[in-house]
Amino acid sequence: MSPSNPAASLLAVAGLHKSFGANQVLKGIDFTVHAGEVVALIGPSGSGKTTALRCLNGLEIPDAGTVAFAGGPEVSFSAGFKPKKAQILRQRSAMVFQGHHLFPHLSVLQNVTVGPLEVQKRPRAEVMEQATALLARVGLADKAQAYPNSLSGGQQQRVGIVRALMLKPDLLLFDEPTSALDPELVGEVLVVIKELAQEGWSMVLVTHELAFARDVADTVVFMDGGVVVETGPASQVLAAPQNPRTQAFVQRLLHPF
Amino acid sequence: MDSNWQLFLDSLWPLAQAAITASIPLAVISFAIGLAVALLMALMRISGSRVLSSIARVYISIIRGTPLLVQLFVIFYGMPSLGLTIDPWPSAIIVFSLNTGGYCAEILRAAILSVPAGQWEAGYTVGMSRTRTLYRIILPQAARVAVPPLSNSFISLVKDTSLASIILVGEMFRKAQEITAVTFEFMLLYCTAAGIYWVICLLLSALQNSLEGRLEKYVAK
Ligand SMILES: Nc1ncnc2c1ncn2[C@@H]1O[C@H](COP(=O)(O)OP(=O)(O)O)[C@@H](O)[C@H]1O
Ligand SMILES: [Mg+2]
């Protein structure tokens, strides 16, 4: 939510390791998200961005490392970690998936209220009011009763964002929220994310849209080969990267031809 | 010919009555219990626990690898020699339920696995537990996939209840046999019974179609 103390650290990630069989995907990831900060996680395909993001939400259980939200217990991962214990991470963050993963059997309104009503058990009137306001905000007031299948990709992803916002998380997690969309639908989703950033939401955003990252992100974390290669203010890392790997990656994305 | 027509008319109601009061209730009750067993077995199969999964696999294998008629005999005629006598009706319900459980477990397992993994994760990310995600998110979507094969299983079960005649359950086929014992009109009575089974199955197929239509919106795209 809106930060009271912009300097306070909201999330601290340290030493995340994760392997899938023999494939060592995360080899010790560290980064911090301050309250109100927008962190863009960039890097080549297969560098482990999605895996790192999923670890923050307990959707993937790291082999080692710690994830700690301000005011919450530090979750320390090791062999034999009980996945159930990662559930407390989900009370602090909410994920917007690349492929939206809306619930096809529920209406738009039910999609965004099922968590607040059935899990958080918040009062119905308050939840409905919040849902109506948020759907109106992303331009979907008239779609509340529609089913996800009848929406365009851009509309579906906006519902996905509202579903995450409805949970009132401290941190929003976006995994390439526009990369599954037709090019003409990308803008409508980025606009929403940018507004949220300006409102002071804290977020970690995995993206290939470097121009967008430069526009909305405070900090850029560049990952390659399962490690964080470079971290710094967005303007600096994207305009004048220090590390040769970052330089090559940024060059390639900004000037593909 | 006249007397045959008269016998047909006279036997129609007793047979239909036996279908309504015995065959159909036997099928419905057994199917309901069987579905619960099937869901349990399906969940054990996908639980990730090797022990639970193996138990379910052996159960399913035994049920599917042995004739229904033999299962009925084991429970009704076999159990008394172990000191456990079970009445015809309970015997039939036990056997048909366990049988349905074995056959439908694989249907439910496949249907649950057909729901994309992203749906589980979306459930988790809105804060749901595994159990809540299962019944609130996954099963409604799995239902659409499972309805056609489950309907086929139910229709088979309705017909299979005729086997319960052999363990003295007064369902429709036994009623037909009772009437033939007096009239000796085997062809007429058995064909009448067959006709009633057929009509029931046609009705169930129609019901299946409308159910599938109503679940259509549950399909993920
Ligand atoms: N569930 C999984 N099982 C096995 N390998 C996986 C799984 N998820 C990701 N990987 C592997 O981890 C590596 C990093 O993937 P990912 O985190 O998706 O990278 P990125 O999002 O940066 O493209 C890839 O080699 C991928 O094949
Ligand atoms: Mg990815």
Side-chain angles (χ1 to χ4, degrees), chain A residues 151-167:
Chain A
L151 305 181
S152 73
Q155 292 172 329
Q156 289 170 335
Q157 196 54 292
R158 281 182 278 156
V159 175
I161 293 173
V162 172
R163 181 171 69 180
L165 294 176
M166 287 294 296
L167 301 166

mmCIF file of all heavy atoms in Angstrom, chain A residues 151-167:
data_model
loop_
_atom_site.group_PDB
_atom_site.id
_atom_site.type_symbol
_atom_site.label_atom_id
_atom_site.label_comp_id
_atom_site.label_asym_id
_atom_site.label_seq_id
_atom_site.Cartn_x
_atom_site.Cartn_y
_atom_site.Cartn_z
ATOM 1 N N LEU A 151 -13.717 -11.952 -22.796
ATOM 2 C CA LEU A 151 -12.919 -10.723 -22.780
ATOM 3 C C LEU A 151 -11.718 -10.839 -23.713
ATOM 4 O O LEU A 151 -11.249 -11.929 -24.015
ATOM 5 C CB LEU A 151 -12.412 -10.434 -21.361
ATOM 6 C CG LEU A 151 -13.438 -10.347 -20.241
ATOM 7 C CD1 LEU A 151 -12.733 -10.036 -18.928
ATOM 8 C CD2 LEU A 151 -14.497 -9.305 -20.541
ATOM 9 N N SER A 152 -11.202 -9.674 -24.125
ATOM 10 C CA SER A 152 -9.963 -9.654 -24.906
ATOM 11 C C SER A 152 -8.789 -9.914 -23.961
ATOM 12 O O SER A 152 -8.921 -9.824 -22.738
ATOM 13 C CB SER A 152 -9.787 -8.294 -25.561
ATOM 14 O OG SER A 152 -9.426 -7.333 -24.586
ATOM 15 N N GLY A 153 -7.636 -10.204 -24.540
ATOM 16 C CA GLY A 153 -6.455 -10.478 -23.729
ATOM 17 C C GLY A 153 -6.092 -9.321 -22.807
ATOM 18 O O GLY A 153 -5.722 -9.521 -21.650
ATOM 19 N N GLY A 154 -6.228 -8.104 -23.330
ATOM 20 C CA GLY A 154 -5.900 -6.928 -22.520
ATOM 21 C C GLY A 154 -6.875 -6.754 -21.368
ATOM 22 O O GLY A 154 -6.483 -6.406 -20.241
ATOM 23 N N GLN A 155 -8.153 -7.030 -21.652
ATOM 24 C CA GLN A 155 -9.162 -6.946 -20.582
ATOM 25 C C GLN A 155 -8.914 -8.025 -19.533
ATOM 26 O O GLN A 155 -8.997 -7.764 -18.329
ATOM 27 C CB GLN A 155 -10.563 -7.100 -21.187
ATOM 28 C CG GLN A 155 -10.966 -5.913 -22.064
ATOM 29 C CD GLN A 155 -12.266 -6.169 -22.815
ATOM 30 O OE1 GLN A 155 -12.581 -7.315 -23.170
ATOM 31 N NE2 GLN A 155 -13.016 -5.108 -23.058
ATOM 32 N N GLN A 156 -8.592 -9.219 -19.990
ATOM 33 C CA GLN A 156 -8.321 -10.315 -19.045
ATOM 34 C C GLN A 156 -7.165 -9.948 -18.132
ATOM 35 O O GLN A 156 -7.229 -10.160 -16.919
ATOM 36 C CB GLN A 156 -7.988 -11.600 -19.826
ATOM 37 C CG GLN A 156 -9.186 -12.205 -20.524
ATOM 38 C CD GLN A 156 -8.806 -13.331 -21.484
ATOM 39 O OE1 GLN A 156 -7.690 -13.391 -21.994
ATOM 40 N NE2 GLN A 156 -9.745 -14.221 -21.750
ATOM 41 N N GLN A 157 -6.112 -9.372 -18.710
ATOM 42 C CA GLN A 157 -4.964 -9.043 -17.878
ATOM 43 C C GLN A 157 -5.300 -7.915 -16.896
ATOM 44 O O GLN A 157 -4.813 -7.913 -15.769
ATOM 45 C CB GLN A 157 -3.754 -8.680 -18.763
ATOM 46 C CG GLN A 157 -2.427 -8.686 -18.035
ATOM 47 C CD GLN A 157 -2.143 -10.003 -17.303
ATOM 48 O OE1 GLN A 157 -2.819 -10.354 -16.321
ATOM 49 N NE2 GLN A 157 -1.152 -10.737 -17.758
ATOM 50 N N ARG A 158 -6.167 -6.990 -17.306
ATOM 51 C CA ARG A 158 -6.580 -5.941 -16.368
ATOM 52 C C ARG A 158 -7.400 -6.533 -15.219
ATOM 53 O O ARG A 158 -7.282 -6.093 -14.077
ATOM 54 C CB ARG A 158 -7.362 -4.854 -17.114
ATOM 55 C CG ARG A 158 -6.422 -3.887 -17.879
ATOM 56 C CD ARG A 158 -7.183 -2.802 -18.576
ATOM 57 N NE ARG A 158 -7.716 -3.240 -19.854
ATOM 58 C CZ ARG A 158 -8.781 -2.693 -20.460
ATOM 59 N NH1 ARG A 158 -9.425 -1.697 -19.880
ATOM 60 N NH2 ARG A 158 -9.196 -3.153 -21.615
ATOM 61 N N VAL A 159 -8.220 -7.539 -15.538
ATOM 62 C CA VAL A 159 -8.937 -8.226 -14.456
ATOM 63 C C VAL A 159 -7.926 -8.918 -13.533
ATOM 64 O O VAL A 159 -8.057 -8.883 -12.310
ATOM 65 C CB VAL A 159 -9.953 -9.259 -15.008
ATOM 66 C CG1 VAL A 159 -10.594 -10.046 -13.858
ATOM 67 C CG2 VAL A 159 -11.018 -8.570 -15.844
ATOM 68 N N GLY A 160 -6.896 -9.499 -14.140
ATOM 69 C CA GLY A 160 -5.846 -10.152 -13.350
ATOM 70 C C GLY A 160 -5.199 -9.166 -12.380
ATOM 71 O O GLY A 160 -4.898 -9.509 -11.232
ATOM 72 N N ILE A 161 -4.997 -7.952 -12.846
ATOM 73 C CA ILE A 161 -4.398 -6.934 -11.978
ATOM 74 C C ILE A 161 -5.365 -6.556 -10.851
ATOM 75 O O ILE A 161 -4.968 -6.463 -9.682
ATOM 76 C CB ILE A 161 -4.003 -5.688 -12.814
ATOM 77 C CG1 ILE A 161 -2.866 -6.060 -13.782
ATOM 78 C CG2 ILE A 161 -3.592 -4.534 -11.906
ATOM 79 C CD1 ILE A 161 -2.519 -4.964 -14.775
ATOM 80 N N VAL A 162 -6.640 -6.404 -11.193
ATOM 81 C CA VAL A 162 -7.629 -6.073 -10.154
ATOM 82 C C VAL A 162 -7.712 -7.204 -9.131
ATOM 83 O O VAL A 162 -7.787 -6.964 -7.921
ATOM 84 C CB VAL A 162 -9.018 -5.797 -10.774
ATOM 85 C CG1 VAL A 162 -10.077 -5.662 -9.689
ATOM 86 C CG2 VAL A 162 -8.979 -4.527 -11.633
ATOM 87 N N ARG A 163 -7.656 -8.450 -9.618
ATOM 88 C CA ARG A 163 -7.714 -9.588 -8.691
ATOM 89 C C ARG A 163 -6.572 -9.494 -7.681
ATOM 90 O O ARG A 163 -6.758 -9.777 -6.498
ATOM 91 C CB ARG A 163 -7.643 -10.905 -9.467
ATOM 92 C CG ARG A 163 -7.733 -12.131 -8.577
ATOM 93 C CD ARG A 163 -7.868 -13.409 -9.364
ATOM 94 N NE ARG A 163 -6.650 -13.751 -10.093
ATOM 95 C CZ ARG A 163 -6.535 -14.835 -10.858
ATOM 96 N NH1 ARG A 163 -7.546 -15.666 -10.996
ATOM 97 N NH2 ARG A 163 -5.403 -15.071 -11.495
ATOM 98 N N ALA A 164 -5.394 -9.090 -8.157
ATOM 99 C CA ALA A 164 -4.264 -8.951 -7.238
ATOM 100 C C ALA A 164 -4.460 -7.767 -6.292
ATOM 101 O O ALA A 164 -4.241 -7.880 -5.081
ATOM 102 C CB ALA A 164 -2.967 -8.794 -8.035
ATOM 103 N N LEU A 165 -4.929 -6.638 -6.828
ATOM 104 C CA LEU A 165 -5.117 -5.437 -5.991
ATOM 105 C C LEU A 165 -6.145 -5.662 -4.893
ATOM 106 O O LEU A 165 -6.011 -5.145 -3.780
ATOM 107 C CB LEU A 165 -5.579 -4.253 -6.856
ATOM 108 C CG LEU A 165 -4.595 -3.711 -7.893
ATOM 109 C CD1 LEU A 165 -5.254 -2.614 -8.719
ATOM 110 C CD2 LEU A 165 -3.352 -3.187 -7.201
ATOM 111 N N MET A 166 -7.170 -6.453 -5.214
ATOM 112 C CA MET A 166 -8.261 -6.698 -4.266
ATOM 113 C C MET A 166 -7.763 -7.315 -2.969
ATOM 114 O O MET A 166 -8.400 -7.205 -1.932
ATOM 115 C CB MET A 166 -9.306 -7.632 -4.892
ATOM 116 C CG MET A 166 -10.179 -7.022 -5.951
ATOM 117 S SD MET A 166 -11.277 -5.749 -5.336
ATOM 118 C CE MET A 166 -12.328 -6.691 -4.215
ATOM 119 N N LEU A 167 -6.618 -7.999 -3.040
ATOM 120 C CA LEU A 167 -6.097 -8.678 -1.852
ATOM 121 C C LEU A 167 -5.392 -7.707 -0.914
ATOM 122 O O LEU A 167 -4.966 -8.087 0.169
ATOM 123 C CB LEU A 167 -5.132 -9.787 -2.279
ATOM 124 C CG LEU A 167 -5.752 -10.860 -3.195
ATOM 125 C CD1 LEU A 167 -4.665 -11.708 -3.832
ATOM 126 C CD2 LEU A 167 -6.721 -11.737 -2.412
#
